[in-house]
Amino acid sequence: MKQIILKYNTQFFFFFLIGISFLPVLPTGVESTLMFSGLLLSFFYFIFEGKKFWNKKKTIQLVFFSSLFLIFSFSLLYTEDFKNGIKFIIRLLPTLLFPLIFLFNKEDTITKDHSRKIINAFCFAVLLALVYLHIVLWNKLYKSETSFWEFRQLIESRIKVHGTYLTMWVGLAVIILIYKIKNEIVVFKNYKKAFLVSLVVVYFFYWQFIIGARMPFFSTIIVCLFILFNTVNKTKTAIFSFLIISISVFLVLKNDRIGERFKNLRNYNFSFPEGKYEDNYPNISNEQIRNGIYFCSFENIKLEPFFGYGVGDVDEKLQSCYDETFTNTDTYKVIHYNSHNEYLNILLSSGIIGLVLFLFSKIYFLRKAAAQKNYVYISFICYIFLNFCFENILSRHDGVIFYSFFNSLFFFQYNSLNEKSTN
């Protein structure tokens, strides 16, 4: 048994990571099965061989990776709804398990070539998911009478993934492909391949706009602009950038319905929802709902600024504020809203102390990536930081799996090679 595990560990580990990279098309149960299978395999390797490679550095890395898990676990000591808190902690388990999977193995287990194949598989899986949606929703896609929310629900019912997380996955695929375009232009001078990859990027941008999750969409654009103009060949990169943007704008303008999600951005409404939701929901904007969410979040934070309320009580505290403050609408009773901001969620759960510790761990990752000029990893961290501003990314299974897997993959591939990333 020992010899078999040692002989085939690297191969099994690589194929496990390839399997996880197909998360855009995998059922939730399959993702969890792959994660625990990878953990079990890595644990056996650790028992037989990996213990000799464990050191103080790995212990420190594990603490940084599992910082939010540890912070929220500590908040269980003073939360009133302990049962709900435990559910949240269990949901965060991948933030502990994925780094353990890598740490149990030798540092050189995943090479740069392995990492490149894994992220390529992820981009392919994203493409498969979008092509599938394009086929099954063809009749609805170009009909203006289908509203944004109706179409969004059709998407989510087909692939069982919330639109925000699907848009995030597409965004990361775009970021990875932009680096590939740069690589093909600057290193290999392969303009045909760069052009073909650019068409895929345009298709991905098109779907990001259709899905309508605005923060992942704009976060993708911000990170891509950083990538495109941080290059030694600005002229050629600018040409491809113009091509991508022009085709994307053309495709967007060809569809009247998909722009309705973005209309309110021109005239942001700082009011709150009013009236009965069932009768008045067409006139209640997403911005008005978020105004109420952020108002109650800050009102609660002011009452318990240092340690928060504990991870189990946050939703109840927010709901109490909604009920007491917005008495002229049932909007917050029909749908229960969380803080829609990961930083606010951490403040509500564990206070300023918890947020500082969490940000310290993320700065650790960013400094490590910057020190070795691992721009793919830097882009991923910035992309996640931006998305944290408008969504509780780590409150759902899909968000936790996505963040934990790629944060671990980029970090440990980067550290094991100690060289620049050229993905």
Side-chain angles (χ1 to χ4, degrees):
M1 181 69 175
K2 174 182 176 180
Q3 294 303 319
I4 293 175
I5 291 175
L6 295 180
K7 182 178 180 180
Y8 295 105
N9 179 69
T10 300
Q11 297 178 34
F12 288 154
F13 189 47
F14 171 63
F15 284 115
F16 146 74
L17 295 177
I18 286 286
I20 288 288
S21 70
F22 274 83
L23 66 93
V25 295
L26 292 178
T28 299
V30 175
E31 294 170 2
S32 298
T33 300
L34 284 171
M35 180 179 63
F36 283 107
S37 298
L39 178 65
L40 185 62
L41 176 68
S42 299
F43 179 71
F44 280 135
Y45 177 81
F46 176 76
I47 293 298
F48 293 127
E49 188 75 11
K51 287 186 292 185
K52 67 178 69 174
F53 303 114
W54 192 275
N55 52 39
K56 181 180 178 180
K57 183 180 74 172
K58 286 195 171 189
T59 302
I60 294 173
Q61 289 172 349
L62 180 60
V63 171
F64 278 119
F65 270 96
S66 58
S67 60
L68 192 60
F69 179 87
L70 297 174
I71 291 166
F72 282 176
S73 295
F74 176 79
S75 77
L76 289 175
L77 296 176
Y78 52 89
T79 191
E80 294 181 9
D81 192 343
F82 187 82
K83 184 178 180 181
N84 188 49
I86 288 293
K87 289 181 180 178
F88 203 98
I89 295 299
I90 292 174
R91 200 177 302 137
L92 279 174
L93 268 177
T95 63
L96 173 66
L97 300 185
F98 272 117
L100 273 177
I101 289 170
F102 283 89
L103 288 167
F104 280 156
N105 288 274
K106 290 174 61 178
E107 290 186 347
D108 59 355
T109 300
I110 296 300
T111 66
K112 183 167 62 177
D113 185 57
H114 286 142
S115 181
R116 186 182 299 112
K117 291 176 180 177
I118 292 165
I119 61 177
N120 285 344
F122 170 75
C123 294
F124 179 67
V126 170
L127 181 61
L128 283 179
L130 297 183
V131 170
Y132 166 75
L133 287 173
H134 212 132
I135 293 172
V136 299
L137 299 178
W138 178 268
N139 292 333
K140 299 288 186 180
L141 185 58
Y142 301 105
K143 290 185 177 180
S144 58
E145 61 267 22
T146 304
S147 70
F148 159 75
W149 284 113
E150 289 174 337
F151 190 75
R152 175 84 163 259
Q153 290 172 355
L154 286 172
I155 292 174
E156 294 176 1
S157 67
R158 289 289 184 175
I159 61 173
K160 309 302 180 185
V161 175
H162 191 277
T164 297
Y165 298 96
L166 177 59
T167 310
M168 282 183 57
W169 297 345
V170 176
L172 179 59
V174 167
I175 291 167
I176 292 169
L177 293 180
I178 291 294
Y179 273 108
K180 291 187 180 297
I181 292 172
K182 279 185 61 176
N183 203 43
E184 294 299 330
I185 293 175
V186 177
V187 179
F188 300 109
K189 313 296 182 182
N190 190 338
Y191 302 110
K192 290 182 179 179
K193 188 173 181 180
F195 177 75
L196 292 175
V197 177
S198 297
L199 293 181
V200 178
V201 170
V202 169
Y203 185 67
F204 283 178
F205 266 130
Y206 176 61
W207 267 98
Q208 272 199 316
F209 195 89
I210 288 176
I211 298 167
R214 292 174 296 188
M215 194 57 207
F217 177 74
F218 290 130
S219 298
T220 305
I221 293 175
I222 292 170
V223 175
C224 285
L225 288 175
F226 162 77
I227 298 169
L228 290 169
F229 292 100
N230 182 30
T231 178
V232 295
N233 198 328
K234 291 182 172 59
T235 301
K236 292 178 180 178
T237 304
I239 293 173
F240 273 85
S241 303
F242 177 77
L243 176 65
I244 293 172
I245 294 170
S246 298
I247 296 176
S248 298
V249 170
F250 173 77
L251 291 174
V252 166
L253 293 177
K254 291 294 288 182
N255 194 320
D256 296 330
R257 174 182 54 77
I258 59 181
E260 66 181 80
R261 174 67 166 163
F262 293 78
K263 288 179 181 178
N264 290 331
L265 288 181
R266 294 195 295 268
N267 298 298
Y268 194 95
N269 190 342
F270 288 96
S271 62
F272 298 117
E274 293 184 0
K276 190 174 181 180
Y277 183 81
E278 185 178 353
D279 300 329
N280 204 35
Y281 75 90
N283 301 317
I284 297 176
S285 69
N286 183 64
E287 288 72 27
Q288 288 176 311
I289 295 174
R290 283 181 179 265
N291 290 341
I293 292 171
Y294 297 145
F295 173 83
C296 280
S297 294
F298 284 111
E299 286 298 305
N300 278 294
I301 289 169
K302 287 190 293 185
L303 298 176
E304 292 289 345
F306 296 107
F307 292 98
Y309 298 94
V311 67
D313 298 338
V314 173
D315 290 342
E316 182 183 347
K317 293 295 181 181
L318 286 174
Q319 192 60 49
S320 295
C321 178
Y322 299 149
D323 294 341
E324 294 172 6
T325 305
F326 306 109
T327 56
N328 60 343
T329 181
D330 64 349
T331 299
Y332 298 100
K333 293 183 175 68
V334 175
I335 303 174
H336 297 284
Y337 294 96
N338 60 30
S339 62
H340 277 64
N341 181 303
E342 195 64 56
Y343 307 113
L344 292 180
N345 185 51
I346 295 171
L347 280 168
L348 288 163
S349 300
S350 53
I352 295 173
I353 295 174
L355 180 62
V356 169
L357 293 174
F358 174 74
L359 292 177
F360 184 74
S361 68
K362 299 303 166 277
I363 292 172
Y364 169 79
F365 298 139
L366 191 59
R367 289 184 63 185
K368 283 285 187 177
Q372 296 297 327
K373 298 183 180 179
N374 188 337
Y375 294 114
V376 178
Y377 191 23
I378 292 173
S379 298
F380 172 76
I381 294 173
C382 293
Y383 183 60
I384 289 295
F385 272 21
L386 288 170
N387 281 286
F388 278 176
C389 292
F390 287 89
E391 293 294 341
N392 288 23
I393 302 301
L394 303 181
S395 292
R396 287 180 182 245
H397 171 84
D398 289 327
V400 177
I401 288 284
F402 169 74
Y403 167 74
S404 303
F405 173 68
F406 281 106
N407 193 38
S408 299
L409 175 67
F410 289 136
F411 183 92
F412 290 107
Q413 178 264 321
Y414 157 86
N415 273 343
S416 64
L417 292 175
N418 195 29
E419 64 184 26
K420 294 181 182 179
S421 172
T422 57
N423 287 310

